[in-house]
Amino acid sequence: MKRLIIDCDPGHDDAIAIILAQRHAEVLGITTVSGNAPLDAVTDNALLVTALLNVDTPVHVGAARPLVGDPIHAARVHGVNGLGGVDRIEHGRTPASEDAVGFLLEAAAEDVWVVPIGPLTNIALAIERDPDWVHRIAGISLMGGSVDSGNATPKAEFNIFADPEAAAKVFASGANIIMCGLNLTHQLRTTDSTVERLRAMDRPLATFAAQVFDHLHNRMEELIGQRNAALHDPCAVLAVTHPHLIDAEPRAVAVETEGKLTRGMTVVDERVTRRRGEPTAQVAYGIDAAAAMELVLDALGADQ
Ligand code: RIB
Ligand code: CA
């Protein structure tokens, strides 16, 4: 089994990604970062998911704010607490530490993949503390960026836009990076029939996921008039656990930190081969969405 660390900001799709990872990998730990909601909220949500899964995966608390500027959140999608619309359970769980970066550095090994699915602040801080860290792990499979349009702004995807300086450091670090951007994740979508399939399973985790997707569909209907949602974060997990489902190409990727209109944009060099910059990431362009969705639904219906 692959060994992973999930760096996240739960977040509805983060929660599904954690469940998927637990089903198909050895999750050494979860690190949290301010993103979809403030740090305390996303940490509570990560602890809630480990309780729902009944696993003792340690949760380590990370950065409360980006490297530069103030934190931004995504309450209009995920709710003020980061996981709106789902029933919560009392669990009494607490974080294993307040030092996510220390955990990331300590847990590094040649077979360990780091899977950031929120802003890249913790990852950049780890690189700042030990630049050689990126060569002591198997790689970084991240959900973030896009080869074309954004969601936080016309050109920036939320995870990158929330901390562009951190993202710029990560893409320039020399790490073995898989980038699962919006151009990929928009190909994996849940619909109301997904919710019906989950409800029919009549299992606690499936019922939780049905609430997760129903919340997202309600928000998408209000925001863009469509009752479906991209399943972003699980793509970064599948890129490690099921790489055959993803088509990726080597590309030079850099992050804009100065542009008035383009701050947080992942600039992917797609010029003709002979003029391209040196690749800095494997950029994902295609996914077998049907097979991916079946793996997600299987993980959600699994016995706990
Ligand atoms: O743009 C999608 C990303 O932003 C996902 O990680 C989602 O959880 C939000 O954090
Ligand atoms: Ca996320």
Side-chain angles (χ1 to χ4, degrees):
M1 262 195 167
K2 299 281 175 72
R3 300 203 304 157
L4 312 182
I5 297 170
I6 306 283
D7 185 67
C8 56
D9 62 336
H12 292 76
D13 54 329
D14 303 68
I16 303 302
I18 292 169
I19 295 167
L20 181 67
Q22 293 282 2
R23 178 84 165 132
H24 291 289
E26 181 187 351
V27 183
L28 304 179
I30 294 170
T31 51
T32 58
V33 62
S34 167
N36 284 321
L39 183 61
D40 56 352
V42 300
T43 301
D44 286 349
N45 295 337
L47 291 166
L48 172 67
V49 176
T50 63
L52 290 169
L53 282 164
N54 194 23
V55 294
D56 56 6
T57 307
V59 174
H60 298 270
V61 183
R65 54 183 316 106
L67 298 187
V68 172
D70 293 327
I72 63 167
H73 305 307
R76 68 193 189 117
V77 175
H78 297 279
V80 173
N81 74 356
L83 207 48
V86 307
D87 296 336
R88 303 181 80 93
I89 59 170
E90 288 303 315
H91 53 76
R93 291 177 178 229
T94 55
S97 87
E98 306 287 319
D99 185 10
V101 174
F103 173 73
L104 286 164
L105 293 171
E106 198 180 296
E110 62 182 17
D111 67 335
V112 172
W113 279 88
V114 176
V115 182
I117 51 177
L120 291 165
T121 317
N122 292 338
I123 312 306
L125 290 170
I127 292 167
E128 276 183 1
R129 266 169 62 179
D130 177 5
D132 189 52
W133 175 69
V134 297
H135 304 302
R136 293 193 285 111
I137 56 176
I140 295 172
S141 178
L142 63 91
M143 191 280 134
S146 174
V147 302
D148 40 44
S149 58
N151 54 7
T153 75
K155 279 299 177 187
E157 178 278 326
F158 176 82
N159 288 339
I160 309 298
F161 185 64
D163 194 341
E165 283 71 20
K169 282 180 188 291
V170 173
F171 279 99
S173 68
N176 170 29
I177 294 173
I178 303 172
M179 174 182 134
C180 295
L182 294 176
N183 58 289
L184 179 89
T185 63
H186 278 161
Q187 298 174 47
L188 184 62
R189 307 190 77 85
T190 57
T191 63
D192 285 335
S193 65
T194 317
V195 174
E196 285 157 27
R197 278 185 68 180
L198 287 163
R199 291 224 160 93
M201 291 178 186
D202 193 23
R203 289 184 184 284
L205 216 48
T207 303
F208 168 79
Q211 291 180 336
V212 162
F213 296 142
D214 215 27
H215 169 88
L216 289 175
H217 298 160
N218 292 337
R219 299 300 302 124
M220 288 300 117
E221 188 171 35
E222 284 169 37
L223 291 169
I224 59 172
Q226 291 174 11
R227 283 195 67 79
N228 64 68
L231 201 41
H232 302 290
D233 293 339
C235 292
V237 171
L238 290 171
V240 176
T241 60
H242 296 79
H244 62 283
L245 297 182
I246 305 272
D247 293 326
E249 298 291 338
R251 290 286 186 274
V253 182
V255 178
E256 176 59 68
T257 57
E258 307 297 329
K260 180 164 172 286
L261 301 176
T262 55
R263 176 168 162 77
M265 175 181 179
T266 45
V267 180
V268 181
D269 190 346
E270 294 186 307
R271 288 176 292 177
V272 292
T273 310
R274 65 180 177 281
R275 293 188 53 192
R276 267 182 206 156
E278 191 58 32
T280 59
Q282 288 291 325
V283 174
Y285 283 88
I287 183 169
D288 179 342
M293 188 55 75
E294 286 309 310
L295 284 166
V296 169
L297 289 170
D298 171 70
L300 295 171
D303 287 323
Q304 286 84 44

